[in-house]
């Protein structure tokens, strides 16, 4: 039987989430960067984002964040714009919910930006929501 020469299995690769508790410095956008909200995840390290400047871009999650920082729809991210492709951007940083609220308080994000809410991508013009039906007493008697 050969000896195990590795340093551990997949649980070692996952590591511990000790970085979640500490406060990190708030990063503001620079030139060539923009704030965006993730509309939906597309898979293969890509997502559809709506930038604050009103342009919908295809976001590519950088390799340092891939499988380490989990991004979901509705998250606020910082994207780096490309000079040669205006419809694509690179996701540089994901803001936590409290950091996104601070950005909104500083006036970096517009007031109509929804934080901590999943974006429903429906074509119903917002009529969908819940499937709640209210019956009246007369309807029950007919049954």
């Amino acid at each position: 039987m050969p000896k195990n020469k590795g340093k551990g299995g997949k649980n070692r690769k996952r590591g511990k989430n000790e970085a979640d508790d500490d406060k990190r410095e708030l990063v503001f956008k620079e030139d060539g960067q923009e704030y965006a909200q993730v509309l939906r995840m597309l898979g293969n390290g890509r997502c559809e984002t709506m930038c604050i400047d009103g342009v919908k871009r295809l976001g590519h999650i950088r390799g340092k964040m891939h499988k380490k920082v989990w991004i979901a729809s509705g998250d606020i991210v910082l994207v780096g714009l490309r000079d040669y492709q205006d419809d694509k951007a690179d996701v540089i940083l994901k803001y936590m919910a409290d950091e996104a609220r601070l950005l909104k308080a500083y006036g970096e994000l517009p007031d109509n930006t929804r934080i901590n809410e999943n974006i429903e991508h429906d074509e119903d013009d917002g009529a969908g929501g819940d499937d709640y039906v209210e019956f009246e007493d007369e309807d029950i008697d007919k049954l």
Side-chain angles (χ1 to χ4, degrees):
M1 195 89 171
K3 245 185 184 178
N4 288 336
K5 295 183 180 178
K7 294 192 177 188
K10 70 178 176 182
N11 289 336
R12 183 186 180 281
K13 290 178 189 173
R14 284 184 188 158
K16 296 178 182 172
N17 270 343
E18 295 177 1
D20 289 344
D21 296 337
D22 61 346
K23 290 281 187 179
R24 62 181 185 187
E25 187 176 332
L26 189 62
V27 178
F28 293 103
K29 71 173 183 174
E30 299 173 2
D31 54 336
Q33 296 177 349
E34 192 67 52
Y35 300 114
Q37 188 165 23
V38 176
L39 296 178
R40 62 187 177 138
M41 295 301 295
L42 300 174
N44 201 19
R46 295 174 301 144
C47 57
E48 185 178 333
T49 60
M50 176 59 80
C51 293
I52 299 303
D53 58 1
V55 180
K56 194 180 285 190
R57 292 185 171 95
L58 181 72
H60 181 265
I61 300 172
R62 61 182 283 186
K64 190 175 182 181
M65 296 174 63
H66 189 68
K67 290 191 177 180
K68 292 176 181 64
V69 179
W70 293 104
I71 297 176
S73 63
D75 288 343
I76 304 294
V77 293
L78 181 67
V79 296
L81 303 177
R82 296 182 178 182
D83 297 334
Y84 51 92
Q85 290 174 318
D86 192 44
D87 59 335
K88 292 185 181 178
D90 300 305
V91 177
I92 298 172
L93 178 77
K94 174 193 169 188
Y95 290 105
M96 302 296 167
D98 57 336
E99 293 173 333
R101 281 191 285 276
L102 279 174
L103 283 176
K104 198 171 182 180
Y106 286 139
E108 295 285 323
L109 298 175
D111 292 334
N112 60 359
T113 305
R114 294 184 295 168
I115 300 170
N116 258 0
E117 297 178 19
N118 287 343
I119 304 295
E120 299 287 332
H121 204 68
D122 293 335
E123 307 299 329
D124 299 340
D125 296 327
D130 293 331
D131 293 334
Y132 179 71
V133 179
E134 185 174 332
F135 291 102
E136 296 180 9
D137 291 336
E138 299 166 7
D139 294 336
I140 295 173
D141 292 337
K142 291 178 184 175
L143 293 176

